[in-house]
Amino acid sequence: MENFVKNIKQDIEVEIQRIEQQDIDILDKIKQIVGFIQTSLARLKVTIADYQFINPEEEILFFKVRKPQISGLLIFYIRLYQIERNRIGKSPSAQYKYLKEEYESLKNISSDKNFYNYYQAGKTNSDHLYFMRKHYDILSDVHCHSLDRDTSFSTLHDSSVAEILANKQLTHYLSTEIDALSEKLHLKFTSIIESKLLQWTESKVSLVEFIYALYAGKCFNNGNTNLKEIAFCCETLFDIEIGDFYRIFLEIRNRKKSRTQFLDKLKEKITQMMDELDR
């Protein structure tokens, strides 16, 4: 059995490498990989149906280590397909936010904390209950989503191990992708600043009015951002040095007519643009 499982795993690795080298869409690659792993698991299931384990230790080893290595890979690629599908059409910043949310959600995805702690601690005292088919109990199976679960190819927690392995692989994948996107966004932001792509060509007074409007409207972090932070970001992004923005804001407050001249102008301009687009 050990050699049979080893050969199946090697076949999967070779096929994944072959598929990854194809010049096709990533979703199509994942579909092919999922299909091959499903076929491999089906082969394993047929073999186990006619196989008599030598002793309890061999059965435990199969359902604790060998089967989860393959079924966990299947879970990983199924979830990867969902993640990559949800990234399609999104901007790098939107992808970054989405992947961060997926990364955080993995921390709470384990459906059985007690078993998770048992497995992570490397304990073995309950292995005969968790990884032998004769001790399978449907009432204790957190992974039992249907009534036709095949107990000839399942134990109480082989699926739990597969989930843990899949989550570990997903965590590494998401971490790598998040770091890559972070670097990409940082380089893009740096490029905008260094090339002075967004130079502020209105007056400093107008910019201060704009900054205070953002601050008053609690537009960043639900209002948990101070004026200096907003002003610094605007100065950096728009390549301008504002100076004493508190004094400038005092001048704005002391205006005899409209105290929001710049914001009024913006409102007028966008209304005009929308009216023209409606014609």
Side-chain angles (χ1 to χ4, degrees), residues 153-164:
F153 194 56
S154 302
T155 62
L156 190 57
H157 279 299
D158 67 89
S159 294
S160 299
V161 177
E163 180 183 62
I164 291 170

Side-chain angles (χ1 to χ4, degrees), residues 122-158:
K123 296 180 179 179
T124 59
N125 55 291
S126 296
D127 281 2
H128 64 290
L129 298 175
Y130 294 157
F131 302 109
M132 292 187 68
R133 291 167 294 179
K134 68 179 182 179
H135 293 299
Y136 177 80
D137 176 17
I138 192 172
L139 296 178
S140 302
D141 188 357
V142 296
H143 294 282
C144 185
H145 304 300
S146 62
L147 297 177
D148 60 349
R149 186 164 166 84
D150 189 348
T151 56
S152 68
F153 194 56
S154 302
T155 62
L156 190 57
H157 279 299
D158 67 89

Side-chain angles (χ1 to χ4, degrees), residues 49-205:
D50 298 325
Y51 182 77
Q52 291 294 324
F53 289 105
I54 300 171
N55 51 43
E57 289 73 24
E58 187 186 26
E59 182 173 358
I60 290 171
L61 180 63
F62 177 81
F63 285 106
K64 186 177 183 179
V65 178
R66 292 170 180 161
K67 180 191 171 188
Q69 288 176 341
I70 299 174
S71 53
L73 199 59
L74 179 61
I75 294 172
F76 165 72
Y77 277 105
I78 289 173
R79 291 182 180 165
L80 181 61
Y81 180 86
Q82 296 165 351
I83 288 171
E84 290 300 327
R85 183 178 60 183
N86 289 333
R87 289 176 68 178
I88 295 175
K90 286 185 171 66
S91 66
S93 58
Q95 289 185 47
Y96 179 83
K97 181 180 178 181
Y98 168 68
L99 294 182
K100 287 280 285 185
E101 291 172 350
E102 289 294 311
Y103 183 84
E104 290 299 317
S105 70
L106 284 176
K107 297 178 181 179
N108 304 310
I109 202 169
S110 179
S111 50
D112 190 328
K113 292 293 184 182
N114 290 329
F115 175 78
Y116 179 83
N117 293 333
Y118 170 89
Y119 179 80
Q120 292 297 88
K123 296 180 179 179
T124 59
N125 55 291
S126 296
D127 281 2
H128 64 290
L129 298 175
Y130 294 157
F131 302 109
M132 292 187 68
R133 291 167 294 179
K134 68 179 182 179
H135 293 299
Y136 177 80
D137 176 17
I138 192 172
L139 296 178
S140 302
D141 188 357
V142 296
H143 294 282
C144 185
H145 304 300
S146 62
L147 297 177
D148 60 349
R149 186 164 166 84
D150 189 348
T151 56
S152 68
F153 194 56
S154 302
T155 62
L156 190 57
H157 279 299
D158 67 89
S159 294
S160 299
V161 177
E163 180 183 62
I164 291 170
L165 295 177
N167 289 348
K168 183 178 180 180
Q169 197 167 355
L170 273 174
T171 299
H172 176 72
Y173 177 84
L174 289 172
S175 177
T176 302
E177 289 296 301
I178 288 168
D179 288 345
L181 281 170
S182 178
E183 179 67 16
K184 182 177 180 180
L185 290 169
H186 175 73
L187 291 174
K188 184 176 181 180
F189 184 73
T190 303
S191 175
I192 289 173
I193 294 172
E194 291 179 348
S195 63
K196 299 181 181 181
L197 189 63
L198 290 176
Q199 284 190 286
W200 185 264
T201 53
E202 268 283 355
S203 67
K204 291 183 180 180
V205 176

Side-chain angles (χ1 to χ4, degrees), residues 189-246:
F189 184 73
T190 303
S191 175
I192 289 173
I193 294 172
E194 291 179 348
S195 63
K196 299 181 181 181
L197 189 63
L198 290 176
Q199 284 190 286
W200 185 264
T201 53
E202 268 283 355
S203 67
K204 291 183 180 180
V205 176
S206 295
L207 182 56
V208 171
E209 185 181 325
F210 179 62
I211 290 171
Y212 269 87
L214 294 174
Y215 175 73
K218 299 182 178 181
C219 297
F220 302 110
N221 303 325
N222 297 313
N224 297 315
T225 304
N226 62 46
L227 275 167
K228 286 185 177 180
E229 290 171 339
I230 299 174
F232 173 76
C233 288
C234 288
E235 285 182 316
T236 304
L237 183 60
F238 301 140
D239 188 36
I240 186 173
E241 185 176 338
I242 298 174
D244 188 353
F245 58 87
Y246 293 111

